[in-house]
């Protein structure tokens, strides 16, 4: 390792020892399962949001075997509100694989970790380095940004050339035997000092080694790829009641919000009215005709990659018995039981409104 590389690692490790964040999963350094759960929860999600979910999760599923034995409904219920539900389903599936095929022990090397559902290159690097001491990089969004600034990477993030450079940079500077702390130092520096906007270069431990800072271009790095417009979907949902119960359906396992429950309905076609679109969706999903009656409110939510405006309607069955044609399951439940069914944000808003106004 060149002297500059050694100096970079040593400055970062010193800074981390004094300033690293005291996060709940770091108090469980000897527990690879805790590191694994935290890394999955942290994908696409901010630390402050993750902490209470992590604490509830570890209280409810303290071991891999406890998670493997849980039902998917219990797993999704605990994950509700954290988003990207495929992460929870994969974690659950992976726990079952570890119990049945790996004797209940998480293997520590990155290649074995990557064979489990939901564990990709970054997550395997993070778990292997932090929990098992492997000298491997972990290149997340924070680390990408810090390295792109430190080494003034000029290609747009996500381009093959930038990714190649960043992977090489992340691996080249790893201090042998300290990769876990080094990776976490870069993550924390990105979260606390080298922030996306207005990096605090004046308090940065590696300011004197930073090429972007020397050139005054730190706020122009990393170079962002051209942004596509965020789609905005119009959706309609049906509240169908019968004998004091309401109809909910479970979304197909694979796909957006997979395995969660919702009020049946779906995306409107361009130019389609909510009433027409809702009747079409209910016929496709459940094979029944409905009468669309009074509106029950409009609900909005901005997901990371798209926005949704959902209009809910009270509806009545005209004829036929609902069958799950394009959904995984359906259930007639009492309003008071809706809280037991894991749901996405918008459907939970409808459920809460129904419970409040019944
Ligand atoms: Fe980031 Fe500034 Fe530190 Fe460079 S000097 S790594 S831009 S905070």
């Amino acid at each position: 390792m060149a002297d500059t590389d050694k100096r970079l690692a040593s400055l970062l490790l010193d800074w981390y020892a004094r300033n690293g964040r005291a996060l709940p999963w770091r108090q469980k350094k000897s527990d690879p399962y805790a590191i694994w759960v935290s890394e999955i929860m942290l994908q696409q999600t901010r630390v402050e949001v993750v902490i209470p979910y992590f604490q509830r999760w570890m209280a409810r599923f303290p071991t891999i075997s406890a998670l493997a034995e849980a039902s998917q409904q219990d797993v999704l219920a605990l994950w509700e509100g954290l988003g990207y539900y495929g992460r929870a389903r994969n974690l659950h599936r992976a726990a079952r694989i570890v119990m049945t095929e790996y004797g209940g022990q998480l293997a520590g090397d990155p290649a074995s970790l990557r064979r489990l559902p939901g564990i990709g290159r970054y997550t395997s690097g993070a778990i292997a380095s932090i929990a098992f001491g492997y000298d491997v990089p972990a290149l997340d969004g924070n680390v990408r940004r810090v390295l792109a600034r430190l080494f003034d990477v000029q290609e747009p993030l996500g381009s093959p050339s930038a990714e190649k450079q960043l992977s090489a940079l992340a691996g080249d500077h790893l201090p042998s035997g300290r990769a876990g702390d080094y990776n976490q130092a870069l993550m924390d520096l990105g979260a606390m000092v080298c922030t996306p906007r207005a990096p605090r270069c004046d308090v940065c431990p590696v300011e004197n080694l930073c090429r972007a800072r020397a050139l005054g271009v730190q706020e122009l790095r990393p170079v962002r790829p051209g942004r596509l417009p965020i789609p905005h979907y119009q959706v309609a949902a049906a509240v169908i009641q019968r004998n004091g119960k309401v109809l909910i359906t479970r979304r197909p396992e694979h796909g957006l919000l997979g395995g969660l429950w919702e009020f049946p309905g779906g995306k409107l076609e361009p130019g389609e009215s909510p009433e027409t679109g809702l009747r079409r969706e209910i016929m496709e999903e459940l094979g029944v005709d409905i009468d669309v009656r009074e509106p029950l409110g409009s609900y909005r939510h901005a997901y990371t990659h798209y926005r949704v405006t959902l209009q809910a309607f009270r509806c009545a069955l005209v004829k036929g018995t609902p069958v799950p044609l394009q959904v995984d399951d359906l259930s007639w439940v009492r309003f008071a039981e809706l809280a037991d069914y894991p749901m996405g944000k918008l459907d939970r808003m409808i459920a809460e409104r129904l419970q409040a106004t019944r």
Side-chain angles (χ1 to χ4, degrees):
M1 192 185 276
D3 282 350
T4 318
D5 299 340
K6 281 194 196 144
R7 180 143 176 73
L8 175 67
S10 124
L11 287 168
L12 282 170
L13 289 171
D14 285 352
W15 176 84
Y16 178 65
R18 280 180 278 110
N19 301 285
R21 293 171 291 179
L23 301 171
W25 44 91
R26 289 184 178 164
Q27 286 145 29
K28 293 180 169 283
K29 201 163 184 172
S30 56
D31 182 356
Y33 169 64
I35 305 290
W36 176 24
V37 171
S38 71
E39 285 300 337
I40 300 296
M41 287 187 170
L42 286 165
Q43 291 169 4
Q44 318 268 1
T45 311
R46 294 195 317 279
V47 164
E48 320 78 82
V49 176
V50 164
I51 289 173
Y53 278 92
F54 173 82
Q55 288 168 327
R56 280 196 294 272
W57 184 279
M58 295 307 289
R60 176 79 173 74
F61 308 127
T63 59
I64 299 178
S65 77
L67 174 58
E69 284 163 17
S71 69
Q72 189 188 73
Q73 180 132 330
D74 283 349
V75 168
L76 289 175
L78 215 57
W79 200 275
E80 186 179 314
L82 203 51
Y84 298 99
Y85 293 87
R87 296 182 297 175
R89 292 194 308 274
N90 280 334
L91 195 50
H92 189 214
R93 275 173 54 215
R96 290 183 167 176
I97 293 171
V98 171
M99 292 312 296
T100 53
E101 296 178 25
Y102 298 95
Q105 297 295 320
L106 196 59
D109 66 285
S112 301
L113 286 166
R114 279 203 294 277
R115 283 200 280 277
L116 292 172
I119 299 188
R121 181 164 292 278
Y122 161 73
T123 307
S124 68
I127 300 171
S129 63
I130 298 168
F132 294 99
Y134 279 80
D135 284 336
V136 288
L139 199 56
D140 73 350
N142 277 335
V143 176
R144 278 191 171 77
R145 179 174 62 258
V146 174
L147 293 176
R149 286 174 174 166
L150 272 172
F151 297 96
D152 191 30
V153 173
Q154 296 177 24
E155 282 73 24
L157 273 192
S159 67
S161 161
E163 290 306 306
K164 199 169 157 196
Q165 282 184 65
L166 291 169
S167 288
L169 290 167
D172 286 351
H173 300 83
L174 282 178
S176 177
R178 300 290 310 276
D181 283 345
Y182 175 79
N183 288 335
Q184 291 180 98
L186 282 172
M187 293 172 198
D188 282 14
L189 190 76
M192 299 158 73
V193 177
C194 194
T195 46
R197 283 187 209 93
R200 299 163 57 214
C201 303
D202 50 332
V203 296
C204 177
V206 289
E207 182 186 7
N208 291 336
L209 300 177
C210 180
R211 289 188 202 158
R213 169 68 162 167
L215 296 166
V217 295
Q218 62 272 24
E219 301 220 31
L220 302 176
R221 303 286 176 266
V223 176
R224 300 274 166 200
R227 293 229 168 153
L228 295 172
I230 295 181
H232 187 162
Y233 299 120
Q234 301 294 327
V235 171
V239 173
I240 304 170
Q241 287 172 256
R242 189 181 73 184
N243 303 330
K245 295 183 174 179
V246 63
L247 179 64
I248 56 174
T249 54
R250 197 172 68 207
R251 295 176 67 93
E253 169 121 356
H254 300 289
L256 212 60
L257 306 175
L260 296 189
W261 291 84
E262 65 178 8
F263 296 91
K267 233 188 272 177
L268 304 179
E269 305 283 0
E272 194 174 40
S273 73
E275 291 81 358
T276 306
L278 192 50
R279 287 188 65 195
R280 174 185 54 72
E281 282 283 344
I282 298 296
M283 179 57 76
E284 288 168 10
E285 282 185 2
L286 302 169
V288 287
D289 194 12
I290 54 164
D291 185 20
V292 179
R293 297 184 176 168
E294 79 265 23
L296 288 175
S298 178
Y299 306 81
R300 292 163 197 272
H301 188 57
Y303 295 91
T304 313
H305 301 297
Y306 62 97
R307 295 198 179 94
V308 172
T309 298
L310 180 152
Q311 295 178 71
F313 293 87
R314 198 177 298 285
C315 300
L317 286 174
V318 173
K319 68 171 187 273
T321 301
V323 284
L325 299 177
Q326 291 182 2
V327 293
D328 271 7
D329 199 3
L330 59 80
S331 187
W332 292 93
V333 302
R334 297 187 189 287
F335 283 177
E337 296 165 345
L338 284 168
D340 300 335
Y341 290 79
M343 291 181 165
K345 188 99 179 165
L346 290 168
D347 290 279
R348 182 58 70 206
M349 287 186 211
I350 301 173
E352 284 171 355
R353 176 175 168 161
L354 290 174
Q355 286 171 297
T357 56
R358 81 196 145 104

